[in-house]
Every structure is written in C-alpha cells, then in structure tokens.
Amino acid sequence: MKKTCFLLFLILLLPISSLHSKAVTKGSFLVVKGEIKVVRGKNESVAPKVGTTVYPGDTIISASNARAKIMMEDRNVIHISPNTEVKIETYINDGQQKNVELSLKEGKVRNEVKQVYDGEQNKFLIKTPTAVAGVRGTNFITSFDTASNQTKIITFSGKVELTNIPSAPGVQPTTVIVSKGETAESSSTQAPGSPKVMAPEELKKQDSDSKVSDKDPGSSSQNQPASGTPKKEEKTDKKKQEAGSSSSASRIVDTQDQSIKTFDKLPDGQGTPGSTAIGTPPPVFQPPPPPVNNLSGDAIRQQNDKTKVKIVPRPN
C-alpha cells in the first residue's frame, strides 16, 4: 500500500517537474504610448499599461499613433513601432534551453538581444510570411510590408541570418548574412539579395526612429515619479520663477506721491523679499499743534491780524 502511494506521488510530480524544465519566460511593458492591445487566446483582449505582464502566446498590436517597449526576464528588449502586429509564439530561457520565436504579421519590431544563440540548439527567430531572421546575439530591425510582401532587415550590431520562404514548392530557400551597418530584403517570390551597406545618415535615422523611449511625447513609463512628487522640470521652472522674482527689486508705494520706490530688500516686518507691498510712507512734516487755547476771543482775533497783544491768561 505504501509503495503504491509513493508511486502515485511520483506520477503526480512528473508533470510539474516537466513544466519547470521548460519554464516559459515572461516579460513586462516598460513604455506604452498610444493605443496598444494585447490579445490572448480568442476572446481576451487587454489594454496594457506600464508593468503589464506579457506571456508567450500573446499578440501585441499597435495603432498608427502607438509605440511600446517590452523587456523580457532574460533582459532581451522588444521595441514595437506603429501599425505593427507581432506574436510571441515561443519564449523559453530556463538556463539550459533557449528557444525564442516571434511572428511578425505586419509592421516593424526592433530586438536588442542580450543573450547568445548558436542558431542550432539555442535559437532566436523572427518569422514573417516571406522570411525568417535568425540571430546569435545582436541588435537589429525586422520589418514586413503587407502591400509588397517584403521582409527587410537592418543590423546595428552583430549578424543576422535572413532566409526567404519560397512560395513555389520545391524551390530551395536562400540565406544571406546581414552584418553591422547593412540591410537586406526578401520576399516570397524573390530570394534575398546581397546585403547593402547603409549610408551613415540613414543608419542613424533608422536607429533613432526604431527606439521606443520613455521620453517620447505622450508615453507612460515606470520612470515617472510617484503621485504627489513634483517632476524635475516643474522644480526647475519654479526655481526660475523664484530667481526672476528675487532678481527684480521689491517695490514699495509711497502713499504721498504714489511714486514707486525701489529697495534691495523689504524693510523689516514688511513681508518677504520678492513681494510687492505697501510700505510705511516716509514721515511728512506737519506743523506743530496749536498751543492750548487759553486766549480770549479778542486776543485770538488780534493775533490772527498780526496785532501785538498782551496775552493775559483767562481766569479760571
């Protein structure tokens, strides 16, 4: 009885160990800009945001105004351009086996491959309807134009093997090596031609255009500050405003003649530097108050008429 239970326990564990031996590698969105959709299976559709997990079997679709950047757990990066549909068919990297296959239906993706693949036991493939691109650790663009059925490769570093998929039965495929700074094209009816060296200006432009950055306008990224934390640019603007107000001298209005007097700083107790305040007007000469009226009416009239009079105190 004990032996039977032990065997049953081993049978139950077998699928689990087998699953771990072919553990799939997930990824997550680092940048999401515009309308991106992740399709899982037949019925599930997800609008991803930064941090959304990507699984093998997922199809990522970008609209005309959309871009996305995905990092897989093995540090490989996928940049998705506008008007693109790409499916992660297989993604396994468990330390013993590395097997990656992406299916590009249309559009353009850029792959920054950090791992080393030998193209035999360890493979990294990108398939289009007309060609297959195999890499061994490189940085490159794969694009597919549905109108012309043309696949194009641009390599920024390393080497890429481009092999066409012939549409006619019995026709042998052709493979070319696209090295750093080169480009090559292929279609279902045309084998890939010899790779061409790209002009430095065009190569630089393709390099810039195909990268998806968290600094792209309208993009969201995990590098954004947490809620309530002011952005660096906002802090800079605030400092500029403060510097502008402090560089201009504070103003105090003289209420006597309404002219504006300028001071390097406010007098003590009249607000903070950089503010506009109504200050205490400078002292204005005032005639001394008249003496206590102890004069008789006649004496006062005589004094006003500048007549010398003898002042006699009014009797109490």
Side-chain angles (χ1 to χ4, degrees):
M1 181 66 179
K2 292 182 178 180
K3 189 177 294 185
T4 303
C5 293
F6 180 72
L7 290 174
L8 181 60
F9 178 74
L10 289 179
I11 292 173
L12 291 174
L13 284 181
L14 184 59
I16 299 175
S17 61
S18 176
L19 178 63
H20 282 292
S21 65
K22 294 185 178 181
V24 298
T25 301
K26 304 184 296 295
S28 60
F29 281 89
L30 294 185
V31 178
V32 176
K33 176 184 180 295
E35 184 181 349
I36 301 289
K37 181 169 62 175
V38 177
V39 179
R40 292 173 179 159
K42 296 181 179 180
N43 301 320
E44 185 179 1
S45 179
V46 178
K49 57 185 179 180
V50 173
T52 297
T53 303
V54 181
Y55 300 93
D58 286 353
T59 298
I60 300 95
I61 303 173
S62 63
S64 59
N65 64 337
R67 300 164 69 86
K69 181 178 180 180
I70 298 171
M71 177 176 283
M72 306 303 290
E73 289 178 328
D74 59 3
R75 312 298 293 175
N76 289 341
V77 179
I78 304 172
H79 300 258
I80 300 174
S81 295
N83 294 316
T84 296
E85 180 175 342
V86 60
K87 181 178 182 180
I88 304 176
E89 299 282 1
T90 304
Y91 211 114
I92 298 174
N93 188 344
D94 58 4
Q96 297 179 353
Q97 179 187 10
K98 290 183 290 185
N99 186 14
V100 178
E101 182 179 325
L102 307 181
S103 178
L104 179 62
K105 185 176 180 180
E106 65 175 328
K108 179 169 64 178
V109 295
R110 175 173 180 163
N111 292 91
E112 296 180 22
V113 182
K114 309 297 183 180
Q115 310 296 316
V116 177
Y117 298 82
D118 57 20
E120 297 176 1
Q121 294 183 349
N122 301 305
K123 298 179 181 180
F124 192 112
L125 303 176
I126 298 182
K127 293 183 178 181
T128 72
T130 62
V132 178
V135 305
R136 301 189 178 188
T138 186
N139 189 342
F140 69 107
I141 292 174
T142 305
S143 61
F144 179 70
D145 187 346
T146 55
S148 62
N149 282 329
Q150 192 172 64
T151 300
K152 185 176 182 179
I153 297 293
I154 299 175
T155 304
F156 299 108
S157 64
K159 296 181 179 181
V160 179
E161 293 182 353
L162 177 62
T163 305
N164 68 315
I165 302 175
S167 57
V171 178
Q172 294 299 317
T174 302
T175 299
V176 297
I177 305 297
V178 188
S179 301
K180 177 182 177 180
E182 294 181 341
T183 182
E185 298 176 352
S186 176
S187 68
S188 58
T189 58
Q190 182 180 5
S194 299
K196 299 178 181 179
V197 177
M198 298 186 67
E201 297 80 8
E202 179 62 19
L203 185 66
K204 184 178 181 180
K205 182 178 184 302
Q206 291 290 339
D207 183 21
S208 175
D209 292 347
S210 61
K211 283 183 178 179
V212 180
S213 170
D214 54 16
K215 296 180 181 179
D216 290 341
S219 65
S220 59
S221 79
Q222 64 183 10
N223 293 330
Q224 291 181 338
S227 176
T229 304
K231 295 182 180 179
K232 187 176 182 181
E233 291 79 10
E234 293 175 351
K235 289 183 179 180
T236 304
D237 292 342
K238 187 176 180 180
K239 288 181 180 179
K240 288 181 180 179
Q241 293 174 0
E242 292 176 352
S245 8
S246 61
S247 62
S248 59
S250 305
R251 296 178 177 181
I252 300 180
V253 179
D254 187 336
T255 57
Q256 296 298 315
D257 57 8
Q258 297 299 314
S259 63
I260 295 178
K261 297 184 179 182
T262 302
F263 297 86
D264 291 335
K265 63 179 181 178
L266 290 175
D268 293 341
Q270 295 188 17
T272 57
S275 61
T276 302
I278 303 300
T280 303
V284 180
F285 175 78
Q286 298 288 346
V292 178
N293 189 3
N294 289 325
L295 301 178
S296 63
D298 293 339
I300 293 174
R301 284 193 296 271
Q302 291 175 353
Q303 186 183 47
N304 292 337
D305 293 336
K306 299 183 179 179
T307 304
K308 292 182 179 179
V309 297
K310 180 178 180 181
I311 299 174
V312 179
R314 185 189 300 271
N316 294 332

